[in-house]
Amino acid sequence: MRFAKFGTALLTDDVAASTRFYVDHFGFQPLVELDWYASLQHPQHPDCALDFTLRGHEAMPSDFRHQKTAGALLGFLVEDAAAEEAALRDKGVPIAVPLRDEPWGQRRFNVWAPEGTLIEVLQTIDPDPEWMAAQGL
């Protein structure tokens, strides 16, 4: 399958709050802002869209529109996860899981977005050679 753009749409109880969170803390820009829908784009990734639809809105299928956001994780790969965590803390964003180094080669932390999405901010680091060997890698 070939497609021109990739997007994720999430249900939210507050479209404006979700929009502000991603604009203020992750550099997204709104393309469309309605009271029931918003479409965001990041200037570094013009072929990716992050959309929000008001939970319960008729634009979504009836058996989907009232679901709570659960089991969704958005990952942002960055150059310096420690600096990004410090910047978010300075802005008052609660850190769900603090910065940690994983033996498989990730430095990462997590925050919760207003709509209930877990966000992982991570950078790649050298994996632990002992861990890699124990995994047969």
Side-chain angles (χ1 to χ4, degrees), residues 62-111:
S62 61
D63 59 348
F64 176 80
R65 68 178 67 141
H66 294 286
Q67 291 185 19
K68 292 289 182 186
T69 301
L73 180 142
L74 294 178
F76 298 111
L77 182 64
V78 299
E79 289 185 23
D80 187 344
E84 299 297 343
E85 183 194 40
L88 290 173
R89 279 186 193 277
D90 288 348
K91 291 179 179 180
V93 175
I95 305 300
V97 180
L99 189 70
R100 64 216 182 267
D101 287 353
E102 303 292 6
W104 52 84
Q106 290 181 339
R107 177 169 292 141
R108 63 188 181 143
F109 68 95
N110 299 93
V111 298

Side-chain angles (χ1 to χ4, degrees), residues 103-104 127-137:
W104 52 84
D128 179 302
E130 291 179 20
W131 184 89
M132 296 289 284
Q135 306 307 308
L137 302 172

Side-chain angles (χ1 to χ4, degrees), residues 6-93:
F6 176 80
T8 297
L10 301 169
L11 297 176
T12 181
D13 292 320
D14 189 336
V15 172
S18 292
T19 298
R20 278 191 316 273
F21 182 81
Y22 289 90
V23 168
D24 292 349
H25 303 303
F26 293 93
F28 283 82
Q29 297 175 343
L31 300 177
V32 176
E33 288 184 275
L34 305 172
D35 61 341
W36 64 272
Y37 171 80
S39 182
L40 309 180
Q41 184 180 67
H42 196 280
Q44 294 173 326
H45 305 283
D47 291 333
C48 298
L50 179 59
D51 297 352
F52 298 100
T53 302
L54 185 65
R55 191 177 329 282
H57 195 274
E58 64 209 24
M60 291 294 170
S62 61
D63 59 348
F64 176 80
R65 68 178 67 141
H66 294 286
Q67 291 185 19
K68 292 289 182 186
T69 301
L73 180 142
L74 294 178
F76 298 111
L77 182 64
V78 299
E79 289 185 23
D80 187 344
E84 299 297 343
E85 183 194 40
L88 290 173
R89 279 186 193 277
D90 288 348
K91 291 179 179 180
V93 175

